[in-house]
Amino acid sequence: MSGALSTPAGSMVATRAGRSNALAGIAVALLVVCGLLTVLILAGELGPVGFAVGFVLAVLPVPVYLVLGLWIDRYEPEPPRLLAGAFLWGATGATLVALIFNTAGQMIVGAALGSEVGRLYGGSLSAPFIEEVSKVAALYAIYRWRRHEFDGVLDGIVYAGMVGLGFALTENVLYYGRAGLEGDGALAATFFVRGVLSPFAHPLFTAMTGMGLGLAALREGTGWRVASVIGLFGAMVLHSLWNTSAGLSGGLGFLGVVRAGDGPRLCVAARRGRCGDGPRALGHRPIPRAGGGERRGVARRPPGAVVAGRSAARAAGRAPAGARRAAGAQGAPARGDRARLPAPPPRTPPAP
């Protein structure tokens, strides 16, 4: 074993493993610090009672949301550690960045131009930009350092969904806590709007960026990398329309947008393989196609191919997409090329 590690290939594997462990340690420390700061900010604003009410109501339905969100990736699930990291970044780091910059920006604009303008700026301009950029940081980290686990549009949608659900969890703690302190039925109304009508709003916005990164992972060339920028811009536009609609026609505009982009149908459409019309189709249409392609690819693979494909993919590490595809043609495929693995040879009994 020591002789194997002394070779150049063994040294490279050891260096890569050490770098991977260091990155994982940094990520965990960052999530812990961001989580503690976020809890302190929320508890300081809501107080113990408001924070407890908001936390309980926000956490209770999360398992249902997670099951629905992961349903579309049931044929070839992503690594749990990456899914958990994406969810936790949305719930801690992305939320902390949004709390700090959105609050500061709205206060500055409100002091200069009036509270109404500050509110409009915070909801329609600042929040869509700051929140989507902060959420996409997790997607880009997976795309950059775990490319072999991010090789298609469906992967981008799934990771984006986890980030969005984590972000929505912490945001709901804030909104439910505020509504609970107001009383007069505000808590029930807020829970119905945010927890029932629109639990998948944030995953839908961020899925636009995830689809762009998924296209960039599938195709070579700088032109395809622009798809991620276009996806991020689309996420900001959808987010801005969503927030702005809340102030139109006494909230009726918001209900119209909810009807056009409701969340549970995101997963039902993926399951049934069909989508509705309207803006909802922006997020729904690629899901059945990507999910159907992944299902057919898994069905075509010989026994043992998935396990072998995962081992080859992890060994490939951060190899470029073109190199991974070339490796797949030579019998060591990346994660997206497992369908081309030959069937293992039959075992022959030992000679007497």
Side-chain angles (χ1 to χ4, degrees):
M1 180 65 69
S2 59
L5 289 179
S6 63
T7 63
S11 300
M12 185 179 301
V13 170
T15 301
R16 183 173 295 171
R19 185 184 307 159
S20 176
N21 292 335
L23 288 175
I26 293 172
V28 170
L30 180 62
L31 290 175
V32 170
V33 172
C34 290
L36 291 175
L37 291 176
T38 303
V39 169
L40 288 175
I41 292 174
L42 294 180
E45 176 176 343
L46 301 174
V49 175
F51 180 81
V53 170
F55 182 81
V56 170
L57 287 180
V59 169
L60 278 178
V62 165
V64 177
Y65 301 157
L66 290 176
V67 169
L68 291 174
L70 294 174
W71 195 11
I72 62 176
D73 195 38
R74 62 198 178 278
Y75 297 110
E76 194 178 355
E78 306 309 318
R81 68 185 186 281
L82 294 183
L83 296 173
F87 180 86
L88 291 174
W89 171 256
T92 59
T95 312
L96 179 63
V97 171
L99 281 171
I100 294 173
F101 285 95
N102 284 343
T103 303
Q106 184 169 334
M107 289 176 59
I108 293 172
V109 174
L113 302 176
S115 59
E116 285 298 322
V117 177
R119 222 174 352 255
L120 179 63
Y121 166 82
S124 301
L125 296 177
S126 174
F129 178 81
I130 297 297
E131 293 177 11
E132 295 308 320
V133 169
S134 63
K135 285 186 289 183
V136 81
L139 301 183
Y140 182 77
I142 298 173
Y143 175 84
R144 173 67 178 82
W145 287 295
R146 291 293 182 270
R147 179 74 67 85
H148 55 286
E149 298 291 358
F150 196 139
D151 59 4
V153 172
L154 189 61
D155 289 356
I157 294 173
V158 171
Y159 289 130
M162 293 300 102
V163 177
L165 286 174
F167 190 96
L169 165 66
T170 307
E171 193 177 59
N172 284 340
V173 173
L174 180 63
Y175 280 95
Y176 294 160
R178 287 174 176 172
L181 295 176
E182 290 179 13
D184 297 329
L187 181 57
T190 303
F191 181 83
F192 179 72
V193 170
R194 298 187 63 86
V196 178
L197 291 182
S198 58
F200 287 92
H202 277 288
L204 179 61
F205 305 150
T206 313
M208 301 294 292
T209 311
M211 287 188 285
L213 284 170
L215 289 173
L218 285 172
R219 302 288 188 269
E220 294 288 346
T222 306
W224 284 101
R225 295 195 182 106
V226 177
S228 61
V229 180
I230 297 174
L232 178 59
F233 178 75
M236 293 177 183
V237 171
L238 286 180
H239 198 156
S240 179
L241 289 173
W242 181 273
N243 287 355
T244 305
S245 68
L248 298 178
S249 302
L252 294 179
F254 174 77
L255 295 178
V257 174
V258 169
R259 175 64 186 88
D262 52 351
R265 298 190 185 185
L266 183 77
C267 303
V268 174
R271 175 70 172 178
R272 297 178 179 174
R274 61 175 182 263
C275 304
D277 298 325
R280 181 176 62 246
L282 290 173
H284 287 187
R285 290 194 184 278
I287 298 177
R289 296 176 183 174
E294 192 170 84
R295 180 181 66 247
R296 291 189 294 271
V298 171
R300 287 195 299 265
R301 295 170 193 163
V306 173
V307 176
R310 282 194 182 276
S311 300
R314 287 180 178 135
R318 286 167 42 201
R324 296 200 312 273
R325 280 193 286 270
Q330 298 170 6
R335 184 168 170 268
D337 296 324
R338 295 174 207 150
R340 293 201 291 270
L341 269 171
R347 294 183 178 179
T348 56

